[in-house]
Amino acid sequence: MPDHAPCTHLATHDVSNQPPVSGDRDLLHEDRPLAEGLAREAPAWVAERLAPLACDAGRESWQALADEANRHPPELRTFDRHGRRLDEVHYTPAYHHLMHLACDGGWHGVAWEHEGAGGHQAHIAALYLLTQVEPGFCCPITMTHAAYPVLRQDSAVLATWGPRLLAHDYDPRALPIGDKRAATFGMAMTEKQGGSDVRSNTTRATPNADGSVQLTGHKWFCSAPMSDAFLTLARDEAGIGCFLVPRFRPDGERNGILLQRLKDKCGNRANASAEIEYADAWAQPIGAPGRGIATILDMVQQTRLDAATAPAGMMRQALREAWHHAQGREAFGKRLADQPLMQRVIADLALETEASLALCLRTARAFDGAPHDDHERALARLLPALAKFWHNKRGPAFMAEAMECLGGIGYVEEAPLARLYREAPVNSIWEGSGNVMCLDVMRVLGRHPECIVALRQELARGAHHDFDRALGMLERRLDATPETLEAQARWLTQRLAQCLQAALLLRHAPNAVGETFCTARLGDEATPLFGVLPAQAPLAAILARINP
């Protein structure tokens, strides 16, 4: 809750010219692009179910818990006081409260409860809102959500783990799965020598007579190390396989998952990432032998969409902070919000936020439509990598610009912008760095011509001259040789993402938004610098959409 009656008359000065405390917010009611996007892309039940979360997540009490979770980071507890091995991570109670916010509402499982009927759109919109509370705890939410399509490749595994994954509950206790009402999942794929090149993994899987295996090796990064189970890759006689590694063995003893250290990472401090070793760890194979990479790609595709959505949520929070400050502070005789240059910066940030959200919601609709529509299936194959690449390339510069709107007060850890700025690079690295995403886009376009057909349907000409010209240049570049395509992969991926964003805004947003975005991003004077908008840009109409 807000501080009661803080003193503004101090011994040497008065505290003045500061924005008022923002108070509790309704994150759906005041986010017009989100409300319009859900009405356009999703079944009516999605917005109805999201409404209570949007009111709850906008409370200042959650921001206080997010701050506490970051000020008291998780601690590795390797042994108990008698020297018995535990390999546990202890979190502050604030972290567990945040997990309950997401899991008690079932937002980690909603995509599968309503698959093909708006479930992915509900999950993505919820993640966008939850990220505005605290992005760190959203990692295990994403992992747990994304594990489900892998689990259902094995009916026995799904029978044990599926109901606990879908439970509207959160159970942080370190117990065997049979003693728990709900479960969370993590992932461990990368190794020191390979990174994104998981085919070079050296972790070994030795078969047991009952079909299980014993794992021996290491993982350089293990996401959400207090999860109840992990999906991992290891090498056996058939090649690289996918395996489920539970925290506890079937006999109830702790499994051989040894936490070597927690990473002292650049980003959020609320969540833990670990370096681990598998020391004769018991595991179950999932999927076809030697097809582990293909098996776990079902999870990776889901996490990539989440990794594209997280920066959109962070952008929205940063935009809201910057605009609230500008409306409540004066400089050089008038409000920052009335200064022409500040208006252009904020309006440009608003355009980027709306464009990113529109692409995320469209991709989620493609995921929901993929099971029964060829066009949507083609888009679902391509759009996650596009959106993940571009949204995360825009994120760090966006956070820096928003922080600059606040000046020095935005640069200190008391402001959420400092946390957002530190967190901004992570989703670009996680689940495939920028080059990997661009190469994936080129691979999909080369192997799946139906994706190019689907893109052309989405990118219909005739809505704006800068958009039409950008499409013409894009089509000419796409006709190049494979070697040239790879050399230009970053430009092509960027331009594809921007053209898709532009097409969505031209089709669905007010003219002030769609046309200004096209000119600023695709026109002759387009620049990566925020705040450079056309001279006659309708700033008032764009700014009015931030918090109506």
Side-chain angles (χ1 to χ4, degrees), residues 265-268 307 311 314 388-389 391-397 399 418-434:
K265 58 186 186 295
C266 168
N268 75 83
M314 294 165 64
K388 178 184 181 301
F389 172 78
H391 296 175
N392 285 291
K393 289 305 175 191
R394 296 295 273 166
M399 302 309 156
R419 290 204 308 269
L420 294 175
Y421 182 71
R422 282 192 283 104
E423 183 74 356
V426 67
N427 286 288
S428 184
I429 298 169
W430 188 43
E431 300 301 359
S433 60

Side-chain angles (χ1 to χ4, degrees), residues 287-408:
R291 296 282 296 164
I293 296 174
T295 299
I296 211 165
L297 278 178
D298 280 348
M299 184 180 196
V300 169
Q301 193 74 336
Q302 299 292 329
T303 59
R304 284 180 175 175
L305 176 52
D306 280 25
T309 303
M314 294 165 64
M315 286 178 190
R316 174 63 191 180
Q317 184 182 10
L319 171 67
R320 192 175 62 239
E321 291 286 330
W323 188 227
H324 177 73
H325 183 85
Q327 289 177 307
R329 186 168 174 83
E330 292 186 0
F332 310 111
K334 59 182 176 180
R335 291 191 316 159
L336 289 176
D338 297 326
Q339 307 270 2
L341 277 180
M342 181 61 77
Q343 288 180 339
R344 288 179 175 276
V345 169
I346 300 289
D348 208 358
L349 296 178
L351 291 175
E352 194 71 28
T353 303
E354 185 160 351
S356 298
L357 175 62
L359 184 51
C360 289
L361 291 176
R362 180 64 185 91
T363 307
R365 179 156 69 87
F367 273 45
D368 274 319
H372 42 72
D373 186 287
D374 290 341
H375 177 77
E376 298 302 317
R377 188 179 305 115
L379 292 177
R381 190 187 298 275
L382 177 65
L383 297 191
L386 277 175
K388 178 184 181 301
F389 172 78
W390 186 236
H391 296 175
N392 285 291
K393 289 305 175 191
R394 296 295 273 166
F398 188 107
M399 302 309 156
E401 198 70 63
M403 186 185 295
E404 190 174 324
C405 293
L406 273 69

Side-chain angles (χ1 to χ4, degrees), residues 444-519:
V444 169
L445 292 177
R447 294 183 183 178
H448 300 279
E450 70 275 13
C451 293
I452 296 178
V453 174
L455 272 176
R456 287 194 168 121
Q457 291 182 33
E458 294 292 311
L459 299 174
R461 295 188 185 219
H464 191 274
H465 62 279
D466 286 325
F467 178 70
D468 291 348
R469 187 181 60 176
L471 282 184
M473 184 182 298
L474 184 59
E475 289 176 349
R476 289 192 294 274
R477 295 280 188 98
L478 285 171
D479 288 335
T481 64
E483 294 79 11
T484 302
L485 283 176
E486 179 171 336
Q488 297 181 345
R490 280 193 165 226
W491 186 92
L492 288 167
T493 304
Q494 168 195 328
R495 187 45 58 97
L496 276 170
Q498 287 179 310
C499 285
L500 278 165
Q501 290 178 330
L504 289 166
L505 294 182
L506 286 170
R507 190 174 302 129
H508 302 300
N511 290 341
V513 172
E515 294 180 0
T516 306
F517 181 88
C518 283
T519 303

